[in-house]
Structures are given as C-alpha cells and as structure tokens.
C-alpha cells in the first residue's frame, strides 16, 4: 500500500511540474487553433532561466518523493519534493521559483538576492504610464525608458527619427495555470494574506509595488474603456475573445537585443494591423509588476495598432508594436504622455510603442 501511494505521489509531482506550462498551452491551442504565440506570452509561460529538460530522476525514500530534472548546468533543475513537508508538495525550478502546494493552498515565491525579500516584482514604483486615469509623478520624467515610448501619430511614417530605448521588464514572473491563480486571493482587502503567502514585507518596495498593482486593477476605467486584470493566460484569452471574437491576432514587440541603449531609431515602415471592419478596436495587455504573471488588459474604441520596423543608430533592428489612441479626451490631464509630448487631452492622436513584455490583440484579417 505504501509503495502504491508513493507511486501516486510521484505521478502527481511530475504532473505538477509539467502543468505550469502545459495547461495554459493546451487551453491556447484549443481556444485559438493555428494562432502563433507572440514572444511576450511564450516568455511568460515559464520562470526566468527555465530551459529544456535534459533528464529526469525520481527518488523514493522514507522522507517522501523527490523528483529532480537536470538542466545540464550547475544552477540546478526542477525539483519536486513530496512528503517531509507537512503533507505538501514543493516544486523548485532552476530560475529559483518555488511552488508549494499543500493544505494551505498554492504558494509561489522566488528567492531573494543579496538579502532582498523573496519576491522580485520590479524596480519602478509609481503609476503605470499605460493606465490613463493616473497623473504622472514628476520623477517619472527622469530615467524612465517608458517616457521615450510616447509619440505623435504624425511622426509615424517611413524615415521618421525618434530617440527610443527598448528595455525588458526586470520582472520575469511566469503565468500560473488558471486553477492555481484563482486559488490565490487578488484584492486589496486580502493584501496582508497575499504578502504573507509570498513572504513579502508589507513595508518593502516589493510589498508596496504589489499593493499598487492590485489597486490599479481595482480602479474603475476611464469612460469608454473596458478593463480587466488577467491573472492567468486562460483568463487573458477569455477576456480578449469576449471582446473581439475568436479570430484574433496577438502581437508583441521584438528586439534584436533584449535591452537597448537610448539612441536614435529610424522608421523603415509601418503596417496597420487588424481587419478593415474593426480596425479601431483592440485589446492591449500590459504586464504588471507582481509575484506571478498579471496583465492589465483594456479594450478601447478609436485605437489603431501598427507593426513598425525600426533600425537603431548602432544597427539594432526592432519590430515594435505601436498603438495610436485617436481620442484621449478622457485621460487624466496630467498623464505622462501629455507631459512628454506637451499636448492637451483630446487635441491630437497620441501613440506609444509597447515594451517587449506587453501584448496587443487585434481582429484577424
């Protein structure tokens, strides 16, 4: 009986490791057949540093079950420990992410570095520049790569030059399968419980950023905006298809190098995306700073999306997604875009490039 029980635990442990990527991918393929995943989604399906499995070993002993996946390097592989942990299941990936499943639910943490708290959720506190009802803080105009991403629609043409910097969010948080994400609270009322579950000090910078992310998700959108914070890939797909239908095309910015320096870029060409009947509709999803992958998604009318080819002064090539907002009359007058471009709400169309870990969904041709 004991041996049979251990075999069952071993099977469940291996299934748990595979499920973190397999379940969302299976749902994607079922809901959106023949729809390529953009790079931003692929990279959010697994913790940073997770690579292809090389071999798997299973050890069964008195302490329980241990499953180790060797990644072929010294940094370690995926480890699943069943038993010896008060009846729970613990999964550790080579990127450092720890997933614990036990009687108390599901917990996901990443180990700290140099004494920092266990969860790294980003280093840029302050309102997101892609939330349109927030006023920008004065310090957001300094040393913030997102500032350069805003531009006027009249500048979106071949030969136009812009000073830009494309950087990747330091938050490499991965998607959880929807069942696990739904089991974790996501509300301001539950913040003490959430922070405790992830071993985050409420007074730390990480704690403050996580609180801010949840608050932004709870704030009402501007007039004409339908917003939703997706805590799993499955929920992102469901929200998007409920607004645009099942024939959709997701796009993300891709650069030759993950992080580029601030430099002059020249537009080589721009192609409008979407179909002719619904070319003013899109759903844009912005990755938030959180302990696991959370995307702030919003659908707005009077928007147009473009795939823009650029080349930097140093030869770096970029395929960037640009979103142009035809009507900004409902935006906060102190929004970052108005400060950067020196225009007023509703006066001219405002565009912005998407960072590498953000996604725009448009109706498919």
């Amino acid at each position: 009986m004991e041996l049979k029980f251990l075999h069952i635990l071993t099977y469940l442990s291996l299934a748990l490791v595979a499920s973190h990527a397999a379940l969302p991918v299976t749902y994607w393929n079922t809901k959106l057949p023949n729809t390529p995943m953009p790079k931003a989604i692929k990279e959010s399906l697994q913790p940073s540093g997770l690579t292809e499995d090389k071999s798997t070993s299973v050890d069964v002993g008195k302490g329980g079950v241990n499953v180790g996946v060797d990644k072929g390097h010294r940094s370690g592989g995926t480890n699943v420990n069943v038993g010896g942990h008060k009846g729970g299941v613990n999964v550790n990936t080579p990127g450092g992410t720890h997933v614990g499943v036990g009687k108390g639910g599901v917990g996901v943490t990443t180990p700290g570095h140099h004494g920092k708290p266990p969860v790294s959720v980003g280093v840029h506190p302050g309102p997101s520049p892609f939330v349109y009802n927030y006023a920008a803080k004065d310090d957001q105009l300094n040393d913030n790569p997102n500032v350069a991403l805003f531009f006027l629609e009249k500048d979106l043409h071949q030969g136009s030059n812009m000073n830009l910097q494309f950087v990747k969010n330091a938050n490499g948080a991965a998607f959880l399968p929807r069942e696990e994400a739904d089991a974790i609270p996501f509300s301001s009322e539950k913040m003490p419980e959430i922070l405790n579950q992830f071993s985050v000090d409420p007074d730390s910078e990480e704690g403050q950023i996580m609180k801010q992310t949840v608050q932004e998700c709870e704030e009402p959108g501007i007039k004409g905006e339908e917003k939703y914070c997706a805590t799993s890939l499955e929920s992102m797909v469901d929200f998007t298809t409920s607004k645009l239908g099942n024939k959709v095309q997701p796009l993300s910015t891709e650069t030759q190098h993950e992080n580029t320096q601030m430099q002059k870029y020249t537009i080589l060409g721009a192609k409008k995306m979407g179909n002719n009947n619904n070319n003013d509709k899109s759903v844009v999803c912005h990755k938030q700073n959180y302990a696991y992958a959370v995307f702030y998604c919003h659908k707005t009318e009077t928007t147009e999306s473009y795939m823009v080819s650029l080349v930097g002064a140093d030869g770096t090539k970029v395929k960037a997604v640009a979103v142009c907002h035809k009507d900004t009359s409902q935006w906060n007058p102190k929004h970052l875009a108005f400060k950067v471009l020196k225009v007023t709400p509703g006066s001219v169309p405002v565009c912005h490039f998407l960072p590498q870990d953000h996604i725009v969904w448009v109706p498919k041709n």
Side-chain angles (χ1 to χ4, degrees), residues 41-101:
I41 289 181
K42 289 180 180 178
E43 292 186 342
S44 292
L45 282 173
Q46 55 189 20
S48 298
L50 191 60
T51 56
E52 183 181 359
D53 293 356
K54 299 298 181 181
S55 64
T56 303
S57 62
V58 180
D59 297 321
V60 180
K62 293 181 179 179
V65 179
N66 178 74
V67 181
V69 181
D70 182 11
K71 300 298 178 180
H73 52 70
R74 284 182 172 269
S75 60
T78 299
N79 296 293
V80 181
N81 302 296
V82 183
H85 295 280
K86 297 181 180 180
V89 178
N90 294 286
V91 181
N92 297 281
T93 69
T97 299
H98 167 80
V99 181
V101 183

Side-chain angles (χ1 to χ4, degrees), residues 143-149 162-167 259-265 313-314:
D143 301 322
N144 187 341
N146 288 325
V147 168
L149 298 179
M162 302 180 183
N163 288 321
L164 299 169
Q165 184 178 14
F166 293 94
V167 297
N259 295 297
T260 67
Q261 60 182 338
M262 179 69 73
Q263 62 176 325
K264 183 177 75 173
Y265 280 86
D314 66 353

Side-chain angles (χ1 to χ4, degrees), residues 4 49 136 139 192 344 354:
K4 182 179 180 180
D139 59 2
T344 56
L354 290 185

Side-chain angles (χ1 to χ4, degrees), residues 220-237:
I222 62 174
K223 184 178 179 180
E225 176 190 26
E226 297 178 70
K227 56 175 286 190
Y228 173 75
C229 277
T231 58
S232 66
L233 179 57
E234 296 94 322
S235 61
M236 183 196 294
V237 170

Side-chain angles (χ1 to χ4, degrees), residues 12 16 44 59 92 133 150 179 247 250 259 280 290 319:
L12 292 175
L16 180 63
S44 292
D59 297 321
N92 297 281
N133 57 352
F150 289 95
E179 184 176 350
K247 295 182 178 180
N259 295 297
D280 64 341
Y290 207 67
K319 292 283 189 181

